[in-house]
Amino acid sequence: MVEYQTLADIQRDLSTGSLSCSDLVDVYLARIEAHAHLNAFVEVYTEEARAAAVVVDQKIAAGTAGPLAGLVLGVKDVICHQDHGLTASSRMLTGFQSLFSATALERVLAADAIIIGRQACDEFAMGSSNETSCYGPVRNPVHPDYVPGGSSGASAAAVGASLCHASLGSDTGGSVRQPASFCGVVGLKPTYGRVSRWGLIAYASSFDQIGPITRSVEDAARILHVIAGPDGKDNTAHAVPVPDYPAALDAPARPWRIGYLQEAWDSPGLDPEIRQRGLDLMARLRAGGHEVKPVSFPLLDYVVPCYYILTTAEASSNLSRYDGVHYGYRSPQAEKLEAVYTRSRSEGFGLEVQRRILLGTFVLSAGYYDAYYGQAMKVRRRIRDYTLELLSDCDFLLTPTAPGTAFKLGEKLDDPIAMYLSDIYTVHANLAGIPAISLPLGQHSNGLPFGLQLMGRPLAEADLLAASRYLMDLKPL
Ligand code: GLN
C-alpha cells in the first residue's frame, strides 16, 4: 500500500472502490506487528477495528459516511474510551476501565474515525522522552536508539511509522509538538479551551489540551474541525463557534506579519543547523512577500521555571485522587488505612511523578505559597500579556519547536533539568493559552527530523493552519 499523506487521498481511493476501510485496517495492523520494537501501542483493538471498518465501508457504500471516514486513529493512553482500558501508562491505574468516553473521542467516533488502539506515553503525560511509561520506553521510528519525544511520543512515533494515519495526543507543555518534531510529523496544540477536556486525564488543568498528530496540515484542520467546540461537560471549553478549518486552508494567501523570537533563535542551547534552517525559511518567507521581523521576548528565561512550578502544583492536586481506594492499584502490603495511601502511592507512581507531586506540594505549602506559586502566577500573567501584545503587532510568532533533534534513549533520564529544558520553546504557548503548531520542515545532517513552531492568536487556528500549509509548501530559494 502506498503511504497516504492525507485523509483526502484515502477517501478518494475509498470512493472509487480501489480501497476499503477493511483493507486499510489490515495494513495498519500488520504494520503495528512489524514495528512492535517501537513499543508504541499498549493495546491494539484488532477485532473492534475490523468490525468498525466493515460498518464504515457500508456507510461509504450507502453515502452516509461521516467526515472522518477512512481515518484510522491511535489514541494516547490518557483519553477516556468507554469500556476500554486506560492507565496514563502508570502502574497506578493497572486494570482500570473507562466508564465514559472523552468528548473529543466521542466526536471522532461519530465522524466515523476507526480507533485502532491505545498508545503509550510518559507516565501521567509527565515527560519529554516517553521513557517513563510503565510499559517501557518507546522508540523513535527514524532511529530506534533515539527517543520519540514525549509525552505523546508513541502517538507521534505511530504516525511517523505509519502504524495509524493520525493520533490524538495531549499537550500540557509541548507533548504534542515536541514529539511531532522528533518524529517528523505535524503536531497541533489548540487554544486552551478550543477542545473540551472532558475525559482527558488531568495533569495540569489550566494547561492541558487535546491535539491531533498528523502527516499533513490538512488532516490537522479536519480533525480539529471535528473535535473543537463548546461542551456542556467542560465549562472551560469556549462557546465561540468553530470555523470551517479545512475550508480556511484554501483562503488566498495574504501577506503575513511574522515575528521571530530573537531570544529563542539566539539561545546558545539551540542546535546551529536548526537555527540556520530557520533563517533560510525566514528568507523564503520574505521573498514570498511576507514581513518577517525580530521581536524580543525577554521573559524566555522564566518560562520553564514558571511552567514547572504551576504544573507541579496543579498535578499534586489532580493526582491526589489516586489514593489506592478509588481507582486502580492498591498495595497488597497495606493493612492499615494510612498504609493504603502511602504504600499504594509509593508503589503505584513512578519516580518522576513522585518528584512532581512532592515539588507541587512544596510550592503550595504554607510559608512557600507566596514565594513560589503566587509569584509564578504573576509571571504567567506577564508572559500572557506580553505575548498578546506581540501578537497584536504580528500574526504569528516563529520559534524552533525544540532546541535539538531527538536525543538518545537514557541520555537525559538522570538529569531532570536537562530534560525540562527541552520544553523551553513549547511551554510558552501553554502558559499563554495560545494555539501553536509544530511543522516538519527539515531533516538534520544527523539524519533525524526536526520541526519549527508557529504560534498564533487565541482562537485563530484557521489562520495558523492556513499559514502552516503555506509554510509547508514553500519551495527552497
Ligand atoms: N514535557 C513537559 C512536561 O513534562 C510537557 C508534557 C506535556 O505536555 N504533557 O511537563
Side-chain angles (χ1 to χ4, degrees):
M1 186 186 82
V2 286
E3 282 195 13
Y4 287 101
Q5 276 309 110
T6 64
L7 177 59
D9 292 341
I10 293 176
Q11 290 180 337
R12 195 167 312 119
D13 285 357
L14 288 171
S15 69
T16 62
S18 59
L19 178 75
S20 70
C21 291
S22 295
D23 298 337
L24 259 182
V25 164
D26 282 341
V27 169
Y28 287 122
L29 288 171
R31 289 188 64 92
I32 290 173
E33 213 174 296
H35 291 77
H37 66 283
L38 296 179
N39 199 22
F41 281 86
V42 173
E43 200 181 343
V44 181
Y45 306 140
T46 307
E47 291 318 317
E48 196 179 330
R50 284 192 173 132
V54 171
V55 174
V56 180
D57 279 332
Q58 284 164 353
K59 287 190 179 177
I60 292 171
T64 57
L68 299 184
L71 177 68
V72 177
L73 192 70
V75 176
K76 182 178 180 182
D77 188 20
V78 288
I79 298 175
C80 293
H81 187 177
Q82 190 170 11
D83 297 330
H84 290 70
L86 183 74
T87 67
S89 295
S90 176
R91 259 187 99 186
M92 189 50 122
L93 282 171
T94 312
F96 179 72
Q97 297 260 322
S98 285
L99 304 176
F100 59 87
S101 288
T103 299
L105 191 122
E106 270 175 0
R107 289 181 179 169
V108 292
L109 282 177
D112 284 332
I114 296 168
I115 298 180
I116 198 154
R118 183 157 59 99
Q119 298 158 330
C121 56
D122 278 300
E123 186 178 2
F124 280 103
M126 297 174 184
S128 310
S129 65
N130 218 140
E131 293 172 289
T132 69
S133 155
C134 69
Y135 307 104
V138 174
R139 291 169 187 275
N140 190 299
V142 179
H143 195 311
D145 292 344
Y146 288 79
V147 303
S151 64
S152 317
S155 304
V159 176
S162 262
L163 313 186
C164 52
H165 185 69
S167 300
L168 281 186
S170 69
D171 190 313
T172 304
S175 275
V176 158
R177 291 160 286 153
Q178 183 253 26
S181 174
F182 283 10
C183 296
V185 294
V186 175
L188 171 68
K189 182 204 88 78
T191 306
Y192 179 76
R194 181 71 293 188
V195 177
S196 166
R197 289 179 297 110
W198 175 257
L200 168 67
I201 290 187
Y203 158 15
S205 310
S206 74
F207 293 74
D208 300 338
Q209 268 296 283
I210 292 176
I213 298 178
T214 55
R215 300 174 81 86
S216 65
V217 172
E218 285 86 332
D219 289 353
R222 294 186 65 174
I223 295 173
L224 182 66
H225 191 227
V226 167
I227 63 177
D231 179 14
K233 294 175 180 142
D234 172 6
N235 58 21
T236 64
H238 287 288
V240 180
V242 178
D244 188 340
Y245 299 120
L249 296 180
D250 296 326
R254 55 183 157 100
W256 308 108
R257 285 172 308 164
I258 299 175
Y260 64 92
L261 292 193
Q262 232 167 347
E263 287 79 0
W265 291 100
D266 289 347
S267 131
L270 176 63
D271 180 294
E273 206 174 310
I274 297 183
R275 177 169 195 274
Q276 191 50 49
R277 300 287 279 278
L279 295 176
D280 292 348
L281 179 81
M282 293 176 207
R284 279 186 271 156
L285 282 165
R286 285 196 190 98
H290 304 278
E291 190 186 340
V292 181
K293 55 180 179 184
V295 294
S296 176
F297 183 63
L299 299 169
L300 185 67
D301 283 347
Y302 299 97
V303 297
V304 170
C306 180
Y307 169 84
Y308 277 95
I309 289 172
L310 295 178
T311 54
T312 54
E314 293 190 23
S316 70
S317 164
N318 276 325
L319 272 59
S320 63
R321 72 192 66 179
Y322 306 108
D323 54 8
V325 178
H326 293 88
Y327 307 87
Y329 180 78
R330 176 182 299 183
S331 170
Q333 322 290 336
E335 278 157 11
K336 299 229 168 77
L337 180 64
E338 196 175 325
V340 170
Y341 301 141
T342 53
R343 279 190 170 268
S344 301
R345 285 170 69 83
S346 306
E347 293 163 21
F349 289 132
L351 289 180
E352 180 60 25
V353 173
Q354 292 190 28
R355 177 181 0 250
R356 295 193 189 201
I357 292 172
L358 288 173
L359 255 173
T361 309
F362 174 77
V363 301
L364 288 174
S365 59
Y368 294 100
Y369 182 97
D370 289 340
Y372 291 100
Y373 185 77
Q375 279 294 97
M377 285 295 279
K378 289 181 194 154
V379 173
R380 180 181 196 182
R381 183 55 187 255
R382 290 194 69 152
I383 290 170
R384 178 172 164 85
D385 290 351
Y386 197 95
T387 306
L388 294 183
E389 216 177 291
L390 293 179
L391 283 167
S392 66
D393 197 34
C394 300
D395 300 301
F396 310 107
L397 301 173
L398 179 68
T399 69
T401 305
T405 52
F407 41 91
K408 280 205 156 140
L409 283 158
E411 191 179 316
K412 298 195 179 176
L413 207 48
D414 298 328
D415 187 350
I417 304 280
M419 191 72 96
Y420 297 171
L421 279 173
S422 67
D423 303 327
I424 183 156
Y425 304 127
T426 48
V427 296
H428 182 172
N430 306 73
L431 283 162
I434 58 176
I437 190 165
S438 177
L439 301 167
L441 285 168
Q443 197 186 24
H444 197 274
S445 56
N446 66 13
L448 294 165
F450 64 87
L452 297 179
Q453 173 178 246
L454 209 54
M455 297 186 270
R457 298 187 184 125
L459 296 173
E461 280 85 355
D463 288 343
L464 185 70
L465 288 159
S468 297
R469 170 134 101 191
Y470 176 83
L471 248 67
M472 294 287 291
D473 291 344
L474 266 186
K475 301 282 174 289
L477 278 179

